[in-house]
Amino acid sequence: MDKDEIRNNLSGYRPEIYRDDDPRIAPSLQAAKADPELSQWLEQELAFDEEVSASLRRAQPPASAKEDLLRAYRSESKWKKRRLHLPLTAAAAILVSSAWIAHYFLMPPPVEFASNPAPTEQTFREQMAFFASQRFVLDEGFSTNTESVAWLAQRNYPTLKTMPPKLFRFRGMGCKKIMWQGHRVSLICFKNNSNEIVHLFVLARPALEGSPDASGNLEQLLVFHERETKGWQDDDQIYLLVGSKPGVNIPNLL
């Protein structure tokens, strides 16, 4: 099994539901625990799931939810009595869960990374590639990259000063705010011509001032966490493209 297959097998793993020796997940679980990267990924997945579960347990339905559901049920029953209906408790759970999930995912706080003594181009590449390998939620969804740029600029996050023209023509997905080593990073996500997701990270150049590599090798193709990374720079910004999964071709975009 490769790492993507292991992640896929464990994406629904819950310790309170599956035993560790369950034949459906045991091989993938053992492989993940033996691999530092997968072990960290699994720990983050379980922490995220627990956070969502805890928030759902704290969620309170609107005071009128029960009456609203009963009213809708009675109204529909008048003209179609034979129609199958969800139990009211299930419908209420769906209503509450949907409302909370919408609130939770619309405006999450900026992602923050632990600080390292000396930020370098290599650590920036490696950590952004690792971030791209994890599950995360966009702050806002947009169908064009231009909209993502405008949204980030309104919030004083790095914007695009120079960008290969064809990147603007790709179908946008949205954007996210990230904090890295105390510096703001903009993330813009879009899909290439093969319908594969690509991440563009934008960082102000002063963030790497004094770094040994000084962002001089951005145009070199390097692979971190099985993902291709390559970028460019101008007088003010550093731009890094990262594939969302192994096999996404980055050089073809530039």
Side-chain angles (χ1 to χ4, degrees):
M1 290 185 293
D2 60 23
K3 290 186 178 182
D4 281 344
E5 186 177 358
I6 293 172
R7 289 189 181 98
N8 184 63
N9 292 343
L10 295 177
S11 60
Y13 169 65
R14 303 292 180 275
E16 67 274 14
I17 297 177
Y18 297 98
R19 300 198 331 253
D20 288 358
D21 60 354
D22 189 312
R24 292 171 294 180
I25 57 98
S28 296
L29 187 60
Q30 291 173 2
K33 290 181 177 180
D35 183 282
E37 179 183 336
L38 290 174
S39 179
Q40 183 180 5
W41 168 82
L42 182 59
E43 183 179 344
Q44 291 176 339
E45 286 282 295
L46 295 177
F48 177 85
D49 293 335
E50 176 55 32
E51 183 179 351
V52 171
S53 298
S55 298
L56 283 172
R57 289 193 294 268
R58 293 193 299 268
Q60 294 295 323
S64 62
K66 180 178 179 179
E67 186 58 36
D68 290 342
L69 288 168
L70 287 170
R71 188 182 302 110
Y73 179 84
R74 294 185 188 116
S75 176
E76 188 175 354
S77 296
K78 288 180 181 179
W79 62 271
K80 206 167 186 179
K81 292 184 178 180
R82 293 184 179 180
R83 182 175 178 178
L84 294 176
H85 296 277
L86 284 172
L88 289 180
T89 53
I94 292 171
L95 179 65
V96 173
S97 299
S98 299
W100 180 87
I101 290 171
H103 170 75
Y104 182 86
F105 287 120
L106 278 177
M107 287 299 291
V111 174
E112 296 193 26
F113 289 84
S115 295
N116 289 328
T120 66
E121 178 205 313
Q122 177 138 335
T123 59
F124 180 62
R125 283 204 198 211
E126 188 276 327
Q127 291 190 2
M128 295 307 105
F130 178 76
F131 181 82
S133 72
Q134 306 303 297
R135 181 174 65 178
F136 62 89
V137 180
L138 295 173
D139 292 345
E140 286 290 340
F142 296 108
S143 59
T144 68
N145 292 325
T146 304
E147 292 175 296
S148 292
V149 170
W151 188 88
L152 290 163
Q154 290 173 357
R155 288 151 182 81
N156 296 318
Y157 270 71
T159 55
L160 303 179
K161 301 294 180 64
T162 59
M163 184 173 182
K166 66 180 181 180
L167 292 186
F168 274 103
R169 295 197 294 268
F170 290 126
R171 180 160 61 91
M173 295 185 64
C175 55
K176 188 173 187 64
K177 307 184 300 293
I178 299 173
M179 291 297 295
W180 179 75
Q181 307 287 7
H183 301 280
R184 296 185 174 194
V185 177
S186 295
L187 168 59
I188 298 173
C189 299
F190 59 91
K191 289 191 174 183
N192 62 16
N193 289 331
S194 300
N195 206 38
E196 298 169 322
I197 299 173
V198 179
H199 305 306
L200 172 60
F201 297 92
V202 186
L203 173 70
R205 284 191 66 176
L208 296 183
E209 283 185 356
S211 164
D213 45 25
S215 68
N217 301 313
L218 278 168
E219 296 181 1
Q220 180 182 358
L221 178 67
L222 297 176
V223 176
F224 292 95
H225 300 286
E226 302 179 303
R227 285 150 179 82
E228 294 185 358
T229 71
K230 187 175 182 178
W232 71 98
Q233 62 182 305
D234 56 30
D235 291 340
D236 302 309
Q237 316 277 26
I238 291 168
Y239 308 91
L240 180 68
L241 288 169
V242 181
S244 61
K245 62 181 181 180
V248 176
N249 191 301
I250 295 301
N252 284 351
L253 300 173
L254 300 172

